[in-house]
């Protein structure tokens, strides 16, 4: 039954997306910019659903789930006190170091969880799936960064955090542009992105500052914790060797 559900999941998702697109065209919703906003949000929600489905069906230990929950909660709680500051928050920084230390899968789950949990305090809305996707993608790329540059230093990770201040804003701008701007053309696209430039810059500078001052110490703490969680599989005959040496059964 489970394998059958996996086989039909992607065709059903594709059919639903195409159906929404055709419905938007038929009822001329695209002419008013609402069809694209709805379609883009549905695609993001489906992507989140598929990623959570993959995580649920993967081989995840209870220890890893506990770590993800803990880091996601810390990242979410860290966002609330900084809500009054324009786009300066430690959430992106926490998501990035989580992905860098524990890998892309954990990074995505920490980022998406942080967005969902923090919005219970700051307000849920149509922006929540986009924030979940954007922060999840930050954690995913941080894990890829670790794979590509395993010995990335403070300078490289500070620059990476700085870049994600803009990338996060650009993803959220796409939601704003498709959902609220009319008409959807290159002029309105550039205007929407230009309007958020200073907010994205503050986000980028905040990320860089957080990593520059706190990043190395946080990475060491999480790496030490990861080593404690690691499980080493010993050869099958090790028990016989230990028994023969100690005489203890």
């Amino acid at each position: 039954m489970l394998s059958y559900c996996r086989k039909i999941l992607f065709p059903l998702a594709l059919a639903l997306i195409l159906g929404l697109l055709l419905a938007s065209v038929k009822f001329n919703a695209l002419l008013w910019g609402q069809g694209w906003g709805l379609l883009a949000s549905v695609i993001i929600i489906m992507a989140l659903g598929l990623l959570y489905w993959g995580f649920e069906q993967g081989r995840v230990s209870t220890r890893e789930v506990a770590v993800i929950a803990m880091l996601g909660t810390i990242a979410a709680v860290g966002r609330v006190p900084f809500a009054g500051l324009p786009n300066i928050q430690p959430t992106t920084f926490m998501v990035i170091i989580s992905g860098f230390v524990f890998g892309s899968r954990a990074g995505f789950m920490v980022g998406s969880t942080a967005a969902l949990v923090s919005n219970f305090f700051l307000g849920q809305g149509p922006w929540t799936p986009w924030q979940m996707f954007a922060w999840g993608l930050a954690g995913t790329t941080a894990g890829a960064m670790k794979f590509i540059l395993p010995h990335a230093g403070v300078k490289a990770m500070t620059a990476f955090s700085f870049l994600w201040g803009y990338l996060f804003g650009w993803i959220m701008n796409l939601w704003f542009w498709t959902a609220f701007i009319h008409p959807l053309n290159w002029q309105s696209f550039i205007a929407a992105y230009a309007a958020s430039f200073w907010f994205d810059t503050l986000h980028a500078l905040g990320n860089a500052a957080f990593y520059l001052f706190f990043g190395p110490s946080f990475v060491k703490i999480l790496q030490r914790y990861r080593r404690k969680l690691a499980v080493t599989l010993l050869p099958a005959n090790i028990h016989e060797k230990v028994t023969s040496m100690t005489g203890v059964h």
Side-chain angles (χ1 to χ4, degrees), residues 76-145:
V77 172
R79 182 186 174 197
V80 177
F82 291 86
L85 299 178
N87 257 13
I88 298 177
Q89 52 195 335
T91 304
T92 312
F93 152 74
M94 285 297 303
V95 171
I96 287 174
I97 64 172
S98 299
F100 186 76
V101 174
F102 291 99
S104 295
R105 180 174 63 179
F108 179 85
M109 297 303 298
V110 170
S112 59
T113 302
L116 181 63
V117 172
S118 62
N119 280 352
F120 281 111
F121 299 94
L122 302 177
Q124 301 284 358
W127 53 85
T128 298
W130 289 82
Q131 290 177 334
M132 293 174 65
F133 182 77
W135 267 316
L137 194 58
T140 301
T141 55
M145 179 78 169

Side-chain angles (χ1 to χ4, degrees), residues 87 89-93 96 158 161-166 202-212:
N87 257 13
Q89 52 195 335
T91 304
T92 312
F93 152 74
I96 287 174
T158 300
S161 302
F162 179 85
L163 177 63
W164 257 105
Y166 287 101
L202 289 173
H203 191 181
L205 292 174
N207 292 346
F210 279 119
Y211 196 92
L212 189 62

